């Protein structure tokens, strides 16, 4: 069945996009993961990949044209499939036979009209009401998790207010409202995950009845049923009242503790009493982080043990159980969106790209002297990693085949150099990108890397800052790792692994002396880079690093 592909929202502020280039044409075969087009957003030009496979049957926005987000971008389906209904705006061909339609003055026609009226009313949005869907905050995002709601139902929302923090496959990002009004409905609760374009919230004038909107949007009842009044409403309210303890817990003195459903579940799994936890959320509400960071106090432990001690005194002592050494203990940690995407992307890279590794050892004596001289200048600080990145950028200009991307029908040579720098964060790994690295000085590279790495660890990077790399550098030298091999960060064709600087005996001019060396390992995609090409790149890189003054020439 043919599938509509719409103009994606590739940044949180994007309202329209321009198709810079189509990389597929009508009639071409499309596989999942193929780059369909390059789309210019309000912040950058980004590659847009297909999440479907089939034949490209229609292009709705030509190269150079601009259209709003969610406009018809393309249609993908089976070769020769009839897509006239989709082009007309429907999902299936419309019936055209007049004989099948009852005449206007017949009872059947009147009944059909009456049945259609409420259906039409349900599909129309009340005046001023806006449906907010789960945004696509990166070009690889297919689903998102609501980490925190910063507004609650009934709150007034102004344009630009932060509605929620959403965890994507790459970072936790603030999602701002593009509309003003009152938050009438929340469709995805904290801690829950939903696909892109799912019902996230509804905003509109205060007091507007939007129960039918939620039902109609989910088209199958994922949203709660509309509210009713009278006896029927009281009957429906009874099961809801039974569910209330999921978010509100009773204290021992009859008071109530506000807690999110996710916090309740985690507390139950860990055997933590909510009475002992202090909430950091709004109105003292207990949230996920409060449970995860909770440490039982000595008083609580004593209080908890008192009834047990009393019970033990009145009961016969239980026999001691011998626990053998090496008792198995496991802990289950739910995979974050970032971890899921890392697993998916790296598996795809390793099993689709034929990897091979080239290793070279470089002398760091001259680099160490040059770095010390550069850092002696006031307000200037560069690292060895900055020097490696600069050397890579210059070497890539001399060996553009390393700076390439594999396509089924062509190899794309990138004549711009955008180097991704792998940064370890709490939940995994992100790769912020230094755009046009070859045009940057060492101090500019150093400042940019520190800024990007800092914001990456605080999950404050924008999607446009993690897209468009043409080559990647991964450095574990600061952890004492002398040599390792990385998995290629596709669509790059290569990644450089940088080890630690080691002081050891080396031979210079026939004499054994103390020297400082570093191991570099280049992982290459054999589809685009032959062994000799990779070796020549490493030779040029070695020259730049061993003689840093040549990077200034």
């Amino acid at each position: 069945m043919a599938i509509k592909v719409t103009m994606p929202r590739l940044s949180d502020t994007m309202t329209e996009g321009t198709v810079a280039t189509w990389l597929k044409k009508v009639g071409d075969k499309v596989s999942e993961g193929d780059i369909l087009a390059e789309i210019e957003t309000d912040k950058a030009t980004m590659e847009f990949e297909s999440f479907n496979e089939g034949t490209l049957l229609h292009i709705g926005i030509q190269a150079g044209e601009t259209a709003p987000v969610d406009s018809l971008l393309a249609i993908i389906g089976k070769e020769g499939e009839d897509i006239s209904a989709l082009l007309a705006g429907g999902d299936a061909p419309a019936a055209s036979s007049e004989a099948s339609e009852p005449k206007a003055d017949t009872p059947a026609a009147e009944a059909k009209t009456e049945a259609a009226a409420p259906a039409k009313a349900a599909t129309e949005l009340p005046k001023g009401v806006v449906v907010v869907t789960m945004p696509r905050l990166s070009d690889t995002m297919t689903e998102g998790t609501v980490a925190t709601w910063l507004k609650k139902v009934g709150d007034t929302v102004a344009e630009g207010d932060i509605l929620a923090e959403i965890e994507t496959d790459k970072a936790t990002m603030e999602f701002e409202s593009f509309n003003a009004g009152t938050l009438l409905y929340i469709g995805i609760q904290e801690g829950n995950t939903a696909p892109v374009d799912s019902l996230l919230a509804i905003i509109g004038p205060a007091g507007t009845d939007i129960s039918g909107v939620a039902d109609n949007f989910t088209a199958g009842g994922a949203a709660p049923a509309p509210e009713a009044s009278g006896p029927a409403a009281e009957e429906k309210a009874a099961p809801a009242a039974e569910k209330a303890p999921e978010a509100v817990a009773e204290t021992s003195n009859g008071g109530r503790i506000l807690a999110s459903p996710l916090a309740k579940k985690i507390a139950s799994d860990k055997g933590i009493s909510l009475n002992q936890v202090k909430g950091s959320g709004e109105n003292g509400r207990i949230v996920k982080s409060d449970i995860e960071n909770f440490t039982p106090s000595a008083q609580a432990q004593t209080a908890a043990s008192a009834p047990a001690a009393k019970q033990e005194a009145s009961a016969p002592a239980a026999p001691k159980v011998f626990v053998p050494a090496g008792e198995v203990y496991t802990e289950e940690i739910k995979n974050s969106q970032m971890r899921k995407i890392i697993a998916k992307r790296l598996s795809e890279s390793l099993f689709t790209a034929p990897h091979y590794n080239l290793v070279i050892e470089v002398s760091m004596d001259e680099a160490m002297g040059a770095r010390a001289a550069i850092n002696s200048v006031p307000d200037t600080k560069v690292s060895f990693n900055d020097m490696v990145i600069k050397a890579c950028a210059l070497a890539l200009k001399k060996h553009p085949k390393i700076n390439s991307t594999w396509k089924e029908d062509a190899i794309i040579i990138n004549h711009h150099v955008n180097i991704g720098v792998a940064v370890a964060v709490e939940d995994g790994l992100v790769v912020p990108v230094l755009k046009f690295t070859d045009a940057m000085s060492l101090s500019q590279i150093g400042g940019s890397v520190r800024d990007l790495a800092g914001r990456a660890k605080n999950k404050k990077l924008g999607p446009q800052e993690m897209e468009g790399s043409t080559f990647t550098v991964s450095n574990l030298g600061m952890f004492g790792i002398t040599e390792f091999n990385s998995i290629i960060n596709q669509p790059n064709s290569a990644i450089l692994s940088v080890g630690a600087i080691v002081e050891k005996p080396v031979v210079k001019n026939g004499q054994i002396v103390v020297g400082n060396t570093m191991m570099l390992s280049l992982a290459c995609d054999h589809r685009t880079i032959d062994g000799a090409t990779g070796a020549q790149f490493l030779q040029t890189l070695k020259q730049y690093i061993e003689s840093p003054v040549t990077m200034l020439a």
Side-chain angles (χ1 to χ4, degrees):
M1 179 178 177
I3 296 172
K4 283 184 176 181
V5 179
T6 58
M7 173 67 74
R9 178 181 283 132
L10 298 177
S11 78
D12 52 343
T13 58
M14 175 180 171
T15 57
E16 61 181 13
T18 301
V19 177
T21 309
W22 277 100
L23 300 179
K24 297 285 185 180
K25 61 182 183 295
V26 172
D28 282 358
K29 297 292 183 184
V30 177
S31 299
E32 186 175 346
D34 281 359
I35 305 300
L36 285 178
E38 292 182 350
I39 295 178
E40 183 180 344
T41 73
D42 54 337
K43 296 178 178 177
T45 298
M46 305 171 70
E47 294 179 337
F48 176 60
E49 69 179 62
S50 173
F51 299 106
N52 307 285
E53 57 182 29
T55 300
L56 183 58
L57 303 175
H58 174 76
I59 288 178
I61 306 169
Q62 300 299 322
E65 293 181 354
T66 300
V69 168
D70 295 331
S71 300
L72 177 61
L73 180 65
I75 297 176
I76 296 174
K78 294 180 180 178
E79 188 173 356
E81 187 173 352
D82 180 16
I83 59 170
S84 56
L86 290 177
L87 292 175
D91 292 327
S96 58
S97 172
E98 295 181 2
S100 62
E101 294 291 335
K103 294 185 179 179
D105 56 353
T106 63
E110 293 175 4
K112 182 176 179 181
T113 303
E114 290 174 5
K120 182 178 180 182
T123 60
E124 291 180 352
L125 287 177
K127 185 177 180 181
V129 170
V130 177
V131 173
V132 181
T133 59
M134 174 66 75
R136 179 180 283 125
L137 298 177
S138 78
D139 58 339
T140 58
M141 175 180 171
T142 57
E143 60 183 11
T145 301
V146 176
T148 310
W149 275 103
L150 302 179
K151 297 285 185 180
K152 61 182 185 294
V153 172
D155 283 357
T156 300
V157 178
E159 187 174 345
D161 282 358
I162 305 301
L163 283 179
E165 291 183 348
I166 295 177
E167 182 182 348
T168 73
D169 55 332
K170 296 180 177 176
T172 299
M173 305 174 64
E174 294 178 338
F175 176 59
E176 67 180 60
S177 175
F178 300 106
N179 307 283
T182 299
L183 183 57
L184 303 174
Y185 177 80
I186 288 177
I188 306 170
Q189 299 301 322
E190 286 185 4
N192 289 351
T193 300
V196 168
D197 295 332
S198 299
L199 175 60
L200 180 65
I202 299 176
I203 296 174
T208 306
D209 180 15
I210 48 86
S211 54
V213 176
D215 280 347
N216 184 66
F217 185 89
T218 53
E227 295 179 1
S229 58
E234 293 176 4
E235 291 177 10
K236 290 183 180 179
E242 294 173 5
K243 281 192 172 183
E246 288 184 3
V248 180
E250 295 290 335
T251 65
S252 57
N253 59 6
R256 298 200 305 171
I257 298 176
L258 294 175
S260 71
L262 181 60
K264 271 278 289 174
K265 183 179 184 304
I266 297 175
S268 175
D269 293 342
K270 291 188 174 183
I272 297 173
S273 170
L274 294 179
N275 290 308
Q276 303 173 20
V277 182
K278 183 177 180 180
S280 61
E282 191 172 1
N283 298 322
R285 184 167 178 261
I286 298 172
V287 295
K288 173 186 174 184
S289 58
D290 298 326
I291 303 298
E292 292 177 336
N293 299 328
F294 173 72
T295 302
S297 64
Q299 181 180 359
Q301 290 175 348
T302 303
S305 62
K310 186 175 180 181
Q311 184 178 358
E312 287 175 5
S314 60
K320 292 184 178 180
V321 178
F322 174 74
V323 179
E327 183 70 16
V328 175
Y329 173 76
T330 62
E331 179 182 5
E332 183 174 301
I333 300 174
K334 184 180 179 182
N335 289 328
S336 65
Q337 286 298 104
M338 180 182 293
R339 179 53 57 190
K340 290 178 183 176
I341 295 299
I342 288 173
K344 179 183 176 184
R345 291 284 178 184
L346 295 186
S347 297
E348 288 175 353
S349 177
L350 186 62
F351 296 125
T352 60
H355 284 55
Y356 70 94
N357 293 277
L358 300 173
V359 179
I360 195 169
E361 186 174 24
V362 299
S363 171
M364 294 298 291
D365 293 330
E366 291 293 329
M368 293 173 72
R371 177 175 178 264
I374 293 170
N375 287 345
S376 66
V377 178
D379 301 323
T380 302
K381 184 178 181 181
V382 299
S383 67
F384 291 114
N385 195 55
D386 302 332
M387 300 176 77
V388 171
I389 291 170
K390 178 65 176 177
C392 285
L394 297 177
L396 287 169
K397 294 296 286 185
K398 290 191 174 183
H399 303 277
K401 287 185 178 179
I402 306 295
N403 203 40
S404 61
T405 299
W406 168 261
K407 302 290 182 186
E408 288 298 329
D409 54 353
I411 295 175
I412 309 298
I413 302 295
N414 300 299
H415 292 289
H416 58 285
V417 176
N418 293 345
I419 294 184
V421 183
V423 176
V425 295
E426 183 180 356
D427 296 329
L429 186 74
V430 295
V431 185
V433 180
L434 297 175
K435 303 293 176 63
F436 305 105
T437 320
D438 55 308
M440 301 172 73
S441 66
L442 272 172
S443 57
Q444 288 174 325
I445 290 173
S448 297
V449 169
R450 285 192 298 275
D451 171 60
L452 290 169
R455 289 191 289 118
K457 291 176 180 177
N458 293 325
K459 298 184 176 180
K460 296 300 181 183
L461 284 179
Q464 72 281 358
E465 294 176 301
M466 296 181 282
E467 302 295 340
S469 68
T470 60
F471 183 83
T472 307
V473 173
S474 179
N475 191 338
L476 292 178
M478 66 285 293
F479 298 107
I481 303 300
T482 56
E483 183 181 344
F484 66 103
N485 298 322
S486 299
I487 298 175
I488 298 168
N489 178 35
Q490 290 193 9
N492 299 174
S493 286
I495 181 171
L496 184 74
S497 304
V498 183
I501 298 174
V502 177
E503 187 178 49
K504 67 177 189 178
V506 297
V507 177
K508 287 188 178 180
N509 300 320
Q511 301 292 321
I512 297 177
V513 298
V514 176
N516 296 276
T517 66
M518 181 173 70
M519 302 299 293
L520 300 176
S521 176
L522 183 70
C524 302
D525 183 343
H526 217 321
R527 296 174 300 179
T528 53
I529 303 172
D530 295 326
T533 305
Q536 290 164 4
F537 168 79
L538 284 179
Q539 286 294 330
T540 302
L541 183 63
K542 176 183 171 78
Q543 292 169 9
Y544 280 128
I545 295 174
E546 291 188 339
S547 183
V549 70
T550 58
M551 289 192 275
L552 305 176

